[in-house]
Amino acid sequence: MRAYDIIKKKRDGFELSKSEIDFFVNGAVSGEIKDYQVSAFLMAVYFKGMTERETLDFTLAIANSGDKVKTDISGVKADKHSTGGVGDKTSLIISPVIASLGIKVVKMSGRGLGHTGGTIDKLESIKGFKTELPFDKFISIAEKTGLSIIGQTGELAPADKIFYSLRDVTATIDSIPLIASSIMGKKLTADDDVIVLDVKTGSGAFMKTLEQAEELANVMVAIGKGAGKKISAVITDMDSPLGSFIGNALEVKEAIDVLKGKVKNDLYLVSKALAVEILTLSGFGDITACEKAFDSQIESGKAFEKFNEFITEQGGDLTEILSGEYKATYTFQIKSNKSGYLGKLNAENVGVASLILGAGRTKKEDKIDYKAGIVLNKKLGDRVEKGETLATLYSSNENLFRASEEEFLKGVEIIAERVEIKSKTLKFVR
Ligand code: URA
């Protein structure tokens, strides 16, 4: 078999066999197939696409290209994966709720990427919390509490690292089979029984339109089913941020407020929709029973109790956050220059504004200001009077406020008529 023939076959629009796909992916990882050939292959896939069978084989080859996370934990293991957003802290809410109902969460999460946040950075904003643990300890915490979350360790899906870095520089990122196989190739390195995908759509998401998000969700769900998983996807809106707090410690605080039943906003509703998907796929009961279970774990305090237990097991201490110390020293209020209704609050601009304050990284080696970020005083559709505060910025460096305010305001529109606010849960793909 030759890489040249495989590239040519795909370039000419033919379907590749499983052995050709395995040969190509393994060759790329071993270095026998060179970067320029891999790049040409990716471009051929970009133009000619992949059939459902090819996409599944390509994804499995990526998943099998390195280490796999194997556990002997009994019971149903479930995971939720988001394609990335602003203010998206649903993992911090869903994981303890489902763990408190007996579903096991043995999760490896990522860091923030661009203007979107990451669960690991959020957890690291909690004093003492360890996101790097020996594998045995990770598993023993998951066995004991039903929930453990660490950063990615080992050499998981090395093929994806090669493909992703080449896609980044060859204009081949936005291809549905390549995105779907990249995300699912990493997901399938874990041995979860149930996977629920939160596919974001809108200004702050990878997929800008509902149609694109639906297509991606369909392909990923088909891959998951082909790999023997119980899987579904929820398409959720990321045109405006989720919840009202953006930034690491700030997001932990909002997640705690939802877990304690103090806040019943869009964040609560999206978290509930995703958790209910996991619970139904896990065989917990019908939709009504699962919705009731979600509410009752929050109302009874059991969900927060589980969150606290998991944080404590991983060395964390919530005292600082619970006593109100989750905001950076300096504060700045963004005021509205006119009266009306908040008609647009672009998630990407808000995400970048938060990044500018120090809540994210622009380079891999950047240090995060964990208490930096934004609290939205107004949400989409709210009435705003001239001079009223739209948002409050927090940072340890007050010189960053002007640039952050400028970015934030690029994404704001105040309009005369109130817009109808739709649910952020747009569609289910099952
Ligand atoms: N996230 C990934 O992991 N891969 C992609 O290709 C796009 C988003």
Side-chain angles (χ1 to χ4, degrees), residues 1 40 63 70 92-93 129 153 168 174 192 201 214 218 244-245 277 279 308 343 360 381-382 405 415 420:
M1 228 180 265
K70 190 90 198 82
L92 300 181
I93 297 164
F129 189 91
T153 58
D168 210 17
D174 48 344
D192 292 304
T201 180
E214 204 172 345
N218 277 315
S244 294
F245 288 33
E277 282 299 297
L279 292 171
N308 207 359
D382 283 355
E405 179 189 36
I415 55 174
E420 199 213 329

PDB file of all heavy atoms in Angstrom, residues 1 40 63 70 92-93 129 153 168 174 192 201 214 218 244-245 277 279 308 343 360 381-382 405 415 420:
ATOM      1  N   MET A   1       0.844  -1.200   0.000  1.00  0.00           N
ATOM      2  CA  MET A   1       0.000   0.000   0.000  1.00  0.00           C
ATOM      3  C   MET A   1       0.886   1.259   0.000  1.00  0.00           C
ATOM      4  O   MET A   1       1.935   1.266   0.655  1.00  0.00           O
ATOM      5  CB  MET A   1      -0.861  -0.009   1.275  1.00  0.00           C
ATOM      6  CG  MET A   1      -2.311   0.279   1.000  1.00  0.00           C
ATOM      7  SD  MET A   1      -3.283   0.261   2.500  1.00  0.00           S
ATOM      8  CE  MET A   1      -3.908  -1.407   2.506  1.00  0.00           C
ATOM      9  N   ALA A  40      -2.031  16.916   2.055  1.00  0.00           N
ATOM     10  CA  ALA A  40      -2.739  16.694   0.784  1.00  0.00           C
ATOM     11  C   ALA A  40      -3.965  15.810   1.013  1.00  0.00           C
ATOM     12  O   ALA A  40      -5.045  16.053   0.463  1.00  0.00           O
ATOM     13  CB  ALA A  40      -1.802  16.053  -0.227  1.00  0.00           C
ATOM     14  N   ALA A  63      -8.823   7.212  17.490  1.00  0.00           N
ATOM     15  CA  ALA A  63      -8.998   6.813  18.906  1.00  0.00           C
ATOM     16  C   ALA A  63      -7.983   5.737  19.302  1.00  0.00           C
ATOM     17  O   ALA A  63      -7.497   5.709  20.435  1.00  0.00           O
ATOM     18  CB  ALA A  63     -10.416   6.317  19.128  1.00  0.00           C
ATOM     19  N   LYS A  70      -8.715   2.935  30.405  1.00  0.00           N
ATOM     20  CA  LYS A  70      -9.458   1.717  30.725  1.00  0.00           C
ATOM     21  C   LYS A  70      -9.696   1.695  32.223  1.00  0.00           C
ATOM     22  O   LYS A  70      -8.769   1.868  33.002  1.00  0.00           O
ATOM     23  CB  LYS A  70      -8.609   0.525  30.260  1.00  0.00           C
ATOM     24  CG  LYS A  70      -9.303  -0.792  30.282  1.00  0.00           C
ATOM     25  CD  LYS A  70     -10.014  -1.105  28.962  1.00  0.00           C
ATOM     26  CE  LYS A  70     -11.062  -2.188  29.122  1.00  0.00           C
ATOM     27  NZ  LYS A  70     -12.357  -1.742  29.625  1.00  0.00           N
ATOM     28  N   LEU A  92     -19.622  21.500  35.430  1.00  0.00           N
ATOM     29  CA  LEU A  92     -19.500  21.626  36.889  1.00  0.00           C
ATOM     30  C   LEU A  92     -20.844  21.390  37.579  1.00  0.00           C
ATOM     31  O   LEU A  92     -20.899  21.152  38.776  1.00  0.00           O
ATOM     32  CB  LEU A  92     -18.989  23.032  37.259  1.00  0.00           C
ATOM     33  CG  LEU A  92     -17.620  23.443  36.707  1.00  0.00           C
ATOM     34  CD1 LEU A  92     -17.255  24.842  37.175  1.00  0.00           C
ATOM     35  CD2 LEU A  92     -16.543  22.446  37.154  1.00  0.00           C
ATOM     36  N   ILE A  93     -21.920  21.469  36.817  1.00  0.00           N
ATOM     37  CA  ILE A  93     -23.261  21.284  37.390  1.00  0.00           C
ATOM     38  C   ILE A  93     -23.763  19.852  37.123  1.00  0.00           C
ATOM     39  O   ILE A  93     -24.189  19.141  38.040  1.00  0.00           O
ATOM     40  CB  ILE A  93     -24.231  22.321  36.779  1.00  0.00           C
ATOM     41  CG1 ILE A  93     -23.756  23.729  37.158  1.00  0.00           C
ATOM     42  CG2 ILE A  93     -25.675  22.077  37.234  1.00  0.00           C
ATOM     43  CD1 ILE A  93     -24.366  24.843  36.333  1.00  0.00           C
ATOM     44  N   PHE A 129      -7.069  22.733  44.482  1.00  0.00           N
ATOM     45  CA  PHE A 129      -7.616  21.665  43.633  1.00  0.00           C
ATOM     46  C   PHE A 129      -6.556  21.142  42.673  1.00  0.00           C
ATOM     47  O   PHE A 129      -5.877  21.893  41.992  1.00  0.00           O
ATOM     48  CB  PHE A 129      -8.825  22.171  42.827  1.00  0.00           C
ATOM     49  CG  PHE A 129      -9.554  21.062  42.109  1.00  0.00           C
ATOM     50  CD1 PHE A 129     -10.611  20.409  42.724  1.00  0.00           C
ATOM     51  CD2 PHE A 129      -9.162  20.651  40.845  1.00  0.00           C
ATOM     52  CE1 PHE A 129     -11.277  19.370  42.073  1.00  0.00           C
ATOM     53  CE2 PHE A 129      -9.814  19.614  40.189  1.00  0.00           C
ATOM     54  CZ  PHE A 129     -10.875  18.974  40.802  1.00  0.00           C
ATOM     55  N   THR A 153      -4.078  13.239  30.335  1.00  0.00           N
ATOM     56  CA  THR A 153      -2.738  12.694  30.572  1.00  0.00           C
ATOM     57  C   THR A 153      -2.493  11.606  29.534  1.00  0.00           C
ATOM     58  O   THR A 153      -3.412  11.151  28.867  1.00  0.00           O
ATOM     59  CB  THR A 153      -2.605  12.044  31.963  1.00  0.00           C
ATOM     60  OG1 THR A 153      -3.592  11.021  32.051  1.00  0.00           O
ATOM     61  CG2 THR A 153      -2.763  13.022  33.081  1.00  0.00           C
ATOM     62  N   ASP A 168      -4.845  23.273  10.956  1.00  0.00           N
ATOM     63  CA  ASP A 168      -4.774  24.654  11.402  1.00  0.00           C
ATOM     64  C   ASP A 168      -4.012  25.541  10.406  1.00  0.00           C
ATOM     65  O   ASP A 168      -4.308  26.718  10.258  1.00  0.00           O
ATOM     66  CB  ASP A 168      -4.055  24.659  12.762  1.00  0.00           C
ATOM     67  CG  ASP A 168      -4.500  25.788  13.643  1.00  0.00           C
ATOM     68  OD1 ASP A 168      -5.562  26.357  13.357  1.00  0.00           O
ATOM     69  OD2 ASP A 168      -3.790  26.098  14.612  1.00  0.00           O
ATOM     70  N   ASP A 174     -12.478  23.623   8.873  1.00  0.00           N
ATOM     71  CA  ASP A 174     -13.947  23.578   8.824  1.00  0.00           C
ATOM     72  C   ASP A 174     -14.503  22.540   7.843  1.00  0.00           C
ATOM     73  O   ASP A 174     -15.155  22.862   6.866  1.00  0.00           O
ATOM     74  CB  ASP A 174     -14.531  24.967   8.567  1.00  0.00           C
ATOM     75  CG  ASP A 174     -13.854  25.682   7.411  1.00  0.00           C
ATOM     76  OD1 ASP A 174     -12.758  25.252   7.015  1.00  0.00           O
ATOM     77  OD2 ASP A 174     -14.414  26.662   6.903  1.00  0.00           O
ATOM     78  N   ASP A 192     -16.449   5.201  28.284  1.00  0.00           N
ATOM     79  CA  ASP A 192     -17.791   5.570  28.748  1.00  0.00           C
ATOM     80  C   ASP A 192     -18.861   4.746  28.036  1.00  0.00           C
ATOM     81  O   ASP A 192     -18.698   4.364  26.883  1.00  0.00           O
ATOM     82  CB  ASP A 192     -18.047   7.056  28.471  1.00  0.00           C
ATOM     83  CG  ASP A 192     -17.167   7.949  29.324  1.00  0.00           C
ATOM     84  OD1 ASP A 192     -17.213   7.798  30.559  1.00  0.00           O
ATOM     85  OD2 ASP A 192     -16.416   8.765  28.762  1.00  0.00           O
ATOM     86  N   THR A 201     -24.109  26.460  18.738  1.00  0.00           N
ATOM     87  CA  THR A 201     -24.252  27.182  17.474  1.00  0.00           C
ATOM     88  C   THR A 201     -24.437  28.674  17.759  1.00  0.00           C
ATOM     89  O   THR A 201     -24.954  29.045  18.801  1.00  0.00           O
ATOM     90  CB  THR A 201     -25.442  26.629  16.649  1.00  0.00           C
ATOM     91  OG1 THR A 201     -25.524  27.365  15.436  1.00  0.00           O
ATOM     92  CG2 THR A 201     -26.767  26.757  17.370  1.00  0.00           C
ATOM     93  N   GLU A 214     -26.371  21.066  13.191  1.00  0.00           N
ATOM     94  CA  GLU A 214     -27.177  19.855  13.086  1.00  0.00           C
ATOM     95  C   GLU A 214     -26.426  18.783  12.278  1.00  0.00           C
ATOM     96  O   GLU A 214     -26.439  17.606  12.628  1.00  0.00           O
ATOM     97  CB  GLU A 214     -28.494  20.204  12.419  1.00  0.00           C
ATOM     98  CG  GLU A 214     -29.575  19.223  12.765  1.00  0.00           C
ATOM     99  CD  GLU A 214     -30.938  19.671  12.270  1.00  0.00           C
ATOM    100  OE1 GLU A 214     -31.119  20.847  11.909  1.00  0.00           O
ATOM    101  OE2 GLU A 214     -31.820  18.803  12.249  1.00  0.00           O
ATOM    102  N   ASN A 218     -25.333  15.232  13.765  1.00  0.00           N
ATOM    103  CA  ASN A 218     -25.745  13.963  13.131  1.00  0.00           C
ATOM    104  C   ASN A 218     -24.547  13.059  12.877  1.00  0.00           C
ATOM    105  O   ASN A 218     -24.602  11.855  13.158  1.00  0.00           O
ATOM    106  CB  ASN A 218     -26.446  14.241  11.796  1.00  0.00           C
ATOM    107  CG  ASN A 218     -27.910  14.572  12.013  1.00  0.00           C
ATOM    108  OD1 ASN A 218     -28.603  13.916  12.779  1.00  0.00           O
ATOM    109  ND2 ASN A 218     -28.381  15.625  11.363  1.00  0.00           N
ATOM    110  N   SER A 244     -24.547  34.262  33.623  1.00  0.00           N
ATOM    111  CA  SER A 244     -24.195  35.682  33.762  1.00  0.00           C
ATOM    112  C   SER A 244     -22.747  35.899  34.170  1.00  0.00           C
ATOM    113  O   SER A 244     -22.297  37.040  34.211  1.00  0.00           O
ATOM    114  CB  SER A 244     -25.093  36.336  34.808  1.00  0.00           C
ATOM    115  OG  SER A 244     -26.421  36.341  34.349  1.00  0.00           O
ATOM    116  N   PHE A 245     -22.023  34.829  34.521  1.00  0.00           N
ATOM    117  CA  PHE A 245     -20.653  34.992  35.003  1.00  0.00           C
ATOM    118  C   PHE A 245     -19.688  34.361  34.003  1.00  0.00           C
ATOM    119  O   PHE A 245     -19.872  33.203  33.603  1.00  0.00           O
ATOM    120  CB  PHE A 245     -20.468  34.304  36.368  1.00  0.00           C
ATOM    121  CG  PHE A 245     -21.145  34.988  37.536  1.00  0.00           C
ATOM    122  CD1 PHE A 245     -22.346  35.666  37.403  1.00  0.00           C
ATOM    123  CD2 PHE A 245     -20.560  34.930  38.802  1.00  0.00           C
ATOM    124  CE1 PHE A 245     -22.960  36.284  38.488  1.00  0.00           C
ATOM    125  CE2 PHE A 245     -21.168  35.541  39.900  1.00  0.00           C
ATOM    126  CZ  PHE A 245     -22.364  36.225  39.740  1.00  0.00           C
ATOM    127  N   GLU A 277     -30.743  14.079  29.279  1.00  0.00           N
ATOM    128  CA  GLU A 277     -30.313  13.200  28.175  1.00  0.00           C
ATOM    129  C   GLU A 277     -29.434  12.075  28.709  1.00  0.00           C
ATOM    130  O   GLU A 277     -29.610  10.908  28.367  1.00  0.00           O
ATOM    131  CB  GLU A 277     -29.504  13.986  27.119  1.00  0.00           C
ATOM    132  CG  GLU A 277     -30.316  14.825  26.187  1.00  0.00           C
ATOM    133  CD  GLU A 277     -31.300  14.026  25.342  1.00  0.00           C
ATOM    134  OE1 GLU A 277     -30.895  13.180  24.520  1.00  0.00           O
ATOM    135  OE2 GLU A 277     -32.499  14.254  25.519  1.00  0.00           O
ATOM    136  N   LEU A 279     -29.247  10.913  31.788  1.00  0.00           N
ATOM    137  CA  LEU A 279     -29.997  10.014  32.669  1.00  0.00           C
ATOM    138  C   LEU A 279     -30.896   9.071  31.875  1.00  0.00           C
ATOM    139  O   LEU A 279     -30.967   7.879  32.176  1.00  0.00           O
ATOM    140  CB  LEU A 279     -30.822  10.831  33.679  1.00  0.00           C
ATOM    141  CG  LEU A 279     -30.001  11.606  34.727  1.00  0.00           C
ATOM    142  CD1 LEU A 279     -30.893  12.554  35.524  1.00  0.00           C
ATOM    143  CD2 LEU A 279     -29.274  10.645  35.669  1.00  0.00           C
ATOM    144  N   ASN A 308     -19.040  19.284  46.567  1.00  0.00           N
ATOM    145  CA  ASN A 308     -18.105  19.582  47.658  1.00  0.00           C
ATOM    146  C   ASN A 308     -17.217  18.364  47.956  1.00  0.00           C
ATOM    147  O   ASN A 308     -16.004  18.497  48.150  1.00  0.00           O
ATOM    148  CB  ASN A 308     -18.928  19.969  48.900  1.00  0.00           C
ATOM    149  CG  ASN A 308     -18.134  20.874  49.811  1.00  0.00           C
ATOM    150  OD1 ASN A 308     -16.984  21.197  49.538  1.00  0.00           O
ATOM    151  ND2 ASN A 308     -18.742  21.270  50.913  1.00  0.00           N
ATOM    152  N   GLY A 343     -30.517  44.025  22.621  1.00  0.00           N
ATOM    153  CA  GLY A 343     -30.929  43.233  21.458  1.00  0.00           C
ATOM    154  C   GLY A 343     -29.847  42.303  20.963  1.00  0.00           C
ATOM    155  O   GLY A 343     -30.124  41.354  20.225  1.00  0.00           O
ATOM    156  N   GLY A 360      -8.229  34.241  30.201  1.00  0.00           N
ATOM    157  CA  GLY A 360      -7.811  33.180  29.270  1.00  0.00           C
ATOM    158  C   GLY A 360      -6.397  33.436  28.775  1.00  0.00           C
ATOM    159  O   GLY A 360      -5.723  34.350  29.264  1.00  0.00           O
ATOM    160  N   GLY A 381     -32.399  40.846  25.933  1.00  0.00           N
ATOM    161  CA  GLY A 381     -33.839  41.116  26.094  1.00  0.00           C
ATOM    162  C   GLY A 381     -34.155  42.022  27.274  1.00  0.00           C
ATOM    163  O   GLY A 381     -35.273  42.530  27.376  1.00  0.00           O
ATOM    164  N   ASP A 382     -33.196  42.247  28.173  1.00  0.00           N
ATOM    165  CA  ASP A 382     -33.472  43.072  29.365  1.00  0.00           C
ATOM    166  C   ASP A 382     -33.654  44.543  28.985  1.00  0.00           C
ATOM    167  O   ASP A 382     -33.023  45.046  28.057  1.00  0.00           O
ATOM    168  CB  ASP A 382     -32.301  42.986  30.367  1.00  0.00           C
ATOM    169  CG  ASP A 382     -32.309  41.695  31.158  1.00  0.00           C
ATOM    170  OD1 ASP A 382     -33.263  40.907  30.998  1.00  0.00           O
ATOM    171  OD2 ASP A 382     -31.344  41.467  31.916  1.00  0.00           O
ATOM    172  N   GLU A 405     -13.403  46.791  27.610  1.00  0.00           N
ATOM    173  CA  GLU A 405     -14.693  47.486  27.415  1.00  0.00           C
ATOM    174  C   GLU A 405     -14.955  47.692  25.922  1.00  0.00           C
ATOM    175  O   GLU A 405     -16.070  47.460  25.424  1.00  0.00           O
ATOM    176  CB  GLU A 405     -14.683  48.840  28.124  1.00  0.00           C
ATOM    177  CG  GLU A 405     -15.978  49.598  27.924  1.00  0.00           C
ATOM    178  CD  GLU A 405     -15.933  51.047  28.425  1.00  0.00           C
ATOM    179  OE1 GLU A 405     -14.888  51.715  28.308  1.00  0.00           O
ATOM    180  OE2 GLU A 405     -16.962  51.510  28.926  1.00  0.00           O
ATOM    181  N   ILE A 415     -31.651  48.179  21.356  1.00  0.00           N
ATOM    182  CA  ILE A 415     -32.694  48.435  20.350  1.00  0.00           C
ATOM    183  C   ILE A 415     -33.987  48.954  21.013  1.00  0.00           C
ATOM    184  O   ILE A 415     -34.162  48.812  22.227  1.00  0.00           O
ATOM    185  CB  ILE A 415     -32.978  47.156  19.523  1.00  0.00           C
ATOM    186  CG1 ILE A 415     -33.325  45.989  20.450  1.00  0.00           C
ATOM    187  CG2 ILE A 415     -31.791  46.800  18.640  1.00  0.00           C
ATOM    188  CD1 ILE A 415     -33.750  44.740  19.740  1.00  0.00           C
ATOM    189  N   GLU A 420     -37.922  38.800  21.333  1.00  0.00           N
ATOM    190  CA  GLU A 420     -38.399  37.614  22.040  1.00  0.00           C
ATOM    191  C   GLU A 420     -37.190  36.719  22.355  1.00  0.00           C
ATOM    192  O   GLU A 420     -36.365  36.446  21.478  1.00  0.00           O
ATOM    193  CB  GLU A 420     -39.382  36.859  21.144  1.00  0.00           C
ATOM    194  CG  GLU A 420     -40.261  35.905  21.916  1.00  0.00           C
ATOM    195  CD  GLU A 420     -40.610  34.668  21.109  1.00  0.00           C
ATOM    196  OE1 GLU A 420     -40.709  34.779  19.869  1.00  0.00           O
ATOM    197  OE2 GLU A 420     -40.749  33.614  21.737  1.00  0.00           O
TER     198      GLU A 420
END
